[in-house]
Structures are given as C-alpha cells and as structure tokens.
Amino acid sequence: MLEGRRIVLGVTGGIAAYKAIELSRRLVLAGAHVVPVMTEAAMNMVGPTTMTALGSEPVKTSLWADSHPIPHTHLGQTADLIVVCPATARILSDYRTGRSADLLSATLIATEAPVVVCPAMHTEMWNHPAVQDNIAALQQRGVIVVPPEEGPLAGGDIGAGRLASPESIFDVIAETLDGEMASAATKDTGALTGRTVLVTAGGTREAIDPVRFIGNRSSGKQGHALADVAAARGAQVTLVTTVARPSGPGVEQVSVTTASEMLDAVMSRAEASDVVIMAAAVADFRPKNTAEQKLKKADGVPSIELERTEDILATLGVQRRAGQVIVGFAAETNDMLTNAASKLARKGADLLVANNVALPQVGFAHDTNAVTILDADGGTFDVSLTSKVAIAEAVLDAVEKRLPPIESGST
Ligand code: CTP
C-alpha cells in the first residue's frame, strides 16, 4: 500500500522525537518516499543527520533555506499524506489557528492531503482544555489523531501523554492511504448512493473485573475497510466498532465495547439500514457476573461462570425487513466451507464471508485476507489473498447484486 507514496514526516520538539526515526525507517522499508521536516525545537531532540539518513531525502528545516522557491506549498501539494510525529501542544495550536510560523506549520495549511497527528506531551498538558479543544477542532476538520498512550513519561512521571507506538502510527498511515485509494478507486461509481449501510467491526470485550476481560484477536481492519469502501461508493454508513481507528469521510462511528452494547447499537439502527454487515468478532460467552474490584490471586483461582451472549446476526436474520441485505462473517480454522454453509442457513443471512484464519496472512490483525463468499442462493465466490480493501470491494459487489432497485419516491 505504501509503495511510492510520498509522506511528509513532520517532527516537532518533544522528547519522543527519537521515535520518529523508527517510524521513518518503517515507512521507507515499506516502500514509501519519506520527506523529513523538522522544527527548530525538534533539532534539539534528534539530529537532522539521522533524519536525513533514515528518510528518503535531506531533511527540510526552514522556509528560507530550501532550493525550492516556495517550499511549503511544494511539500503540501505533492504529499500523499502528512504525519506529525510527535506533535507538541505548540504545533497543535498553530495548526488549529492556521498560524504558519515555520516550514511545518505552513506546510500543514498548504495541503489537501490527509494529515495524521500524533500528540505526545506531559499528562497535565494533554489534559489541559486548550489542548483538548485544539484536538477536537482538528478532528472535526478531518485531521486524524493517533491519541497518546498511558505509560512512563520523561522525568519519571507516569500517565497519559506517551507517544503511540511507531507500529500503531505506521498502521494508521497505511490504513489512511489504503482508504484514500479505495475512495479514489470507487468514488465515481456512486453505486450505493441513497443506501444506508450498517457495519460492525472489531472484537467485543467482556469484563471479568475492572482490569481483565474476555476478548479475541480481531483488529477491526476488515470492518473498517468495508465501511470506508461503502462510503466511497456513496452510501450513508454507520460503523459500530470496538476499536479506535480513523474512518474515511462519510462514515459515522459509534463506539462500543461489549456484545450487549453492540447488540443495542445494531438493533436500534437495523430497521433503517438497507444493508447490515456483521464483520465484528462478537463474544459468544461473557462472565455472568463482573467483579467490582480486581480479583486478587491471594484469594485463589477464581471460577468464572459464563453465560451466552445474544447472537446479533441471528437476531437480524429473524427481524429482517423486506429487501434488506444481511451479511455475516465466519472465521474458521477447519472445515471452512461446511461450517460457513451451515452458519449462513442457521443465522438467516443473505451472504456469508468465510475465511480460514489458520492460513498465513489471512484474517485477524493482518492487512490482507482471503475469503470465500457464500450466497444464500447457493453460489460461492473465492477471493484469493489480497488487501482488506480489495476484499471489501468484492463483498460490496456481492451486496450490490442482491439489493433491490431503489423505489422512486411519490410526489
Ligand atoms: N455473531 C453475532 N453475535 C454473536 C456471535 C457471532 O452477530 N454473539 C456474528 C459475527 O459477527 C459473524 C457471524 O455471527 O458475522 C459468525 O460468527 P462466528 O463467531 O464465526 O459464529 P458463531 O455463531 O460463534 O459459531 P461457531 O461457534 O459455531 O463458530
């Protein structure tokens, strides 16, 4: 996905600037062309020579010292994506207000490319209303924020504000560019214009106590790709998700954690949806009781009584409305086609997307997938190993074939 993509990597003066070196290396290894841009403060944290050595071209540091006469517009216009890593409180403020004080802040407002910002700062700064306001305003404008994590900070403090890991920032960049490609590839079709599509994504978490849960390996990538592609095809999309991943334009996200929250979020919207796609890995069992306080090992090995969760897909199958297309997923490790065919019938879905997660590069957490799409009419269709965006395209092609024509409204 990153091959040949031009990424401007803005580095500002936070102690986490050293992690930008690792991000740059990862991006270059994945085939991206990385243009490093450093603020003056960043150069107190890491050396420009290092950024140059691990980027794809010499680091840029000034509005005035570049061979290009108008460096900020050149950088902004030619970028496929700009990432600011780390993003200090200062750059967030400049970006929000449009104050073009240096090459990086000028580049940020001279671009139409997607922008990913990765804030890192002390907990007090991160929690300050000024910073939170700036973050909210930037998000509202479509800027993708990779939130900081909790953990040890410079100076021995512990709290929220630690830069997200280079791996997760890399994933957000890859996914954002992936989504852009999906939009570019499909935006003219408009095949789902006028349709409402409800997608679920991610694995649910069922609490055992305040710190432990029963979960699964789902990353939410396939569900998020489905939502992005459906929106790119013109649908009005709601994505009920358990994971904090950015979505492309036209996708309304509803955040949930448990199977029961997902059930409520889905069922309250199902009636209004032309298409429902259950890509989430929903827990089949949950602890019957959640301990209010952390279980202590001194109290012995707990016996956790489980109870069944409600099957959302099966409930949708029973309560379906005429003309609605319902899609299920099946992650299998053996007898994939037999299990998938029985699941399709049992749950009353129209389409079932089956994958064998025991195969390499397939399913959970990978950027790639390979599936067989089973149709309730008996047809099957194989999609061999490809990106999750391409799988989403194939699934939505199958959905479109089953959708009845839109009735023209009476006047
Ligand atoms: N699903 C659901 N609600 C549940 C469990 C699963 O809606 N409580 C949906 C999933 O989102 C997926 C499909 O059902 O679209 C199949 O999920 P899967 O876990 O493979 O099926 P199970 O019903 O758990 O069947 P089995 O235990 O036989 O694998």
Side-chain angles (χ1 to χ4, degrees), residues 113-137:
V115 175
V116 176
V117 296
C118 315
M121 62 198 76
H122 263 75
T123 311
E124 294 81 356
M125 294 174 77
W126 172 245
N127 287 337
H128 194 282
V131 172
Q132 289 301 316
D133 275 3
N134 288 337
I135 290 284

Side-chain angles (χ1 to χ4, degrees), residues 200 278-284 309-314 327-332 343 346-347:
T200 64
M278 285 296 304
V282 187
D284 291 321
T309 57
E310 211 164 330
D311 191 316
I312 307 173
L313 182 59
V327 184
F329 270 69
E332 304 290 346
K343 231 168 247 187
R346 204 169 67 231
K347 302 207 184 199

Side-chain angles (χ1 to χ4, degrees), residues 14-155:
I15 197 74
Y18 73 95
K19 293 190 189 167
I21 297 168
E22 170 64 12
L23 178 64
S24 182
R25 200 185 64 89
R26 279 174 185 264
L27 291 168
V28 169
L29 281 177
H33 182 97
V34 175
V35 186
V37 175
M38 296 178 82
T39 62
E40 218 173 295
M43 287 188 282
N44 292 316
M45 302 295 177
V46 287
T49 319
T50 315
M51 289 309 301
T52 294
L54 290 168
S56 309
E57 55 181 80
V59 69
K60 313 232 171 330
T61 57
S62 162
L63 276 163
W64 314 111
D66 200 85
S67 55
H68 198 281
I70 320 175
H72 58 296
T73 50
H74 173 68
L75 285 174
Q77 285 164 357
T78 55
D80 288 311
L81 181 143
I82 299 179
V83 54
V84 185
C85 170
T88 55
R90 197 275 301 168
I91 194 80
L92 296 172
S93 168
D94 281 359
Y95 187 21
R96 192 237 173 126
T97 56
R99 181 169 177 265
S100 54
D102 55 18
L103 179 59
L104 181 59
S105 50
T107 301
L108 285 170
I109 58 167
T111 191
E112 287 179 359
V115 175
V116 176
V117 296
C118 315
M121 62 198 76
H122 263 75
T123 311
E124 294 81 356
M125 294 174 77
W126 172 245
N127 287 337
H128 194 282
V131 172
Q132 289 301 316
D133 275 3
N134 288 337
I135 290 284
L138 291 172
Q139 273 179 317
Q140 214 167 23
R141 287 180 205 156
V143 173
I144 297 152
V145 177
V146 185
E149 296 170 353
E150 301 239 348
L153 303 166

